[in-house]
Amino acid sequence: MIIGLLGKANVGKSTFFNAATDSSVPIANFPFTTINPNIGVAFVRVQCVCTELGVADNPVNSQCISGIRYIPVKLIDVAGLVPGAHLGRGLGNKFLDDARQADVLIHVIDISGSTDEEGKSVRSGEGDPFLDIQFVEEEFDLWIRSIILRDWQKLVRESENLKQKVETVISNRLSGLSISEQLIRNSMDQVGLTKKPSEWTENDLLSLSKQIRIKSKPIVIAANKADLPASDSNIIKLKDLGRPFFPTVCEAELLLKRASIKNLIYYLPGDSNFEIKRNEKLSQEQIGALNMVSHVLSKFGSTGIQQVLNHACFQALKKIVVYPVEDEYKFTDKNGNVLPDARIISDNSTAKDLAFLIHNDLGKGFLYAIDARTKQRIGADHILRNNDIVKIVANTGRK
């Protein structure tokens, strides 16, 4: 699964990336700080089943800290976006080409309104974060439409002569976005495109492109710089839009991560508080910074970073977590690691889907699976549930 970071320049995308991945990319107060896509590993946070089972686990592909499982996901931060990107303005073509890889998008906006539409700094409150939301989505819609429009009339004539379904033609054209024919058909139904494709207008195609984007690239809004005074009124307005969003303070999360690495505090990403380990180690400047962060946590309940990542994964994409094991009694792999693997899968996935996800040979040789809680056999078409612990039995000799 890949999560992409969208947004214009200078809104805090690089800081979000650093805070989410513990990596280091340039952070500066000017447009195009990030020119090449940065790819890192972030983590989603869930309650580990080890607490329910009462076992001490030792994960291989993830982390478990005090019963909290952190599961890795790929995070892509791409170059800043400006209006007119679909026409190639700024770094638009590169931005859109990189963003297409993502399964879900986090749109980082400056909710304080301290940047203009070009990403340049202005007085707090003078910028319009709602225009930022609008233009990013419109640029994506226009970009999708521009791909469909290439030789559109010629394609339509050929498809009608060959009696091809129009969704097949569009799906082929959008092959780089991995958009299925069924999704396109559903989008056509949603916008009421019942007339012949040769009669579709550019506005019809824009409406269709918007619906395709909504269905294929869900967007969650990270309302960054939420701690600034000018942000409060905009957060209230954002609630009225009915869009999924989370107030975020990326700099606060980054400060907490770095203080934790230095062993100054105890903090787990997503927590609503932190614990100072040794006051005598802290300078007055550090104490002041941590007091600022305490105010953020008190006001919002978190820095928002972990909440955005979790929502993107589990609500926007409707994912669940399952735990494959080889020994259904000890909940271990062949090396004795307890609950070694936590897999993020779609909420309608079957036991056989999980087998293919683990290894192609397991899927091909699938015989049955075992629910490690009940010790009962389950078939290939059995729909898995969140927190299932599953053993796969196949004729390959693998688990």
Side-chain angles (χ1 to χ4, degrees), residues 44-62:
V44 293
R45 167 178 169 153
V46 298
Q47 188 73 37
C48 184
V49 295
C50 70
T51 56
E52 171 200 339
L53 300 174
V55 299
D57 60 354
N58 50 327
V60 175
N61 82 324
S62 52

Side-chain angles (χ1 to χ4, degrees), residues 358-372:
I358 296 169
H359 196 283
N360 198 49
D361 290 344
L362 277 183
K364 291 179 178 179
F366 182 92
L367 297 175
Y368 58 90
I370 297 175
D371 184 326

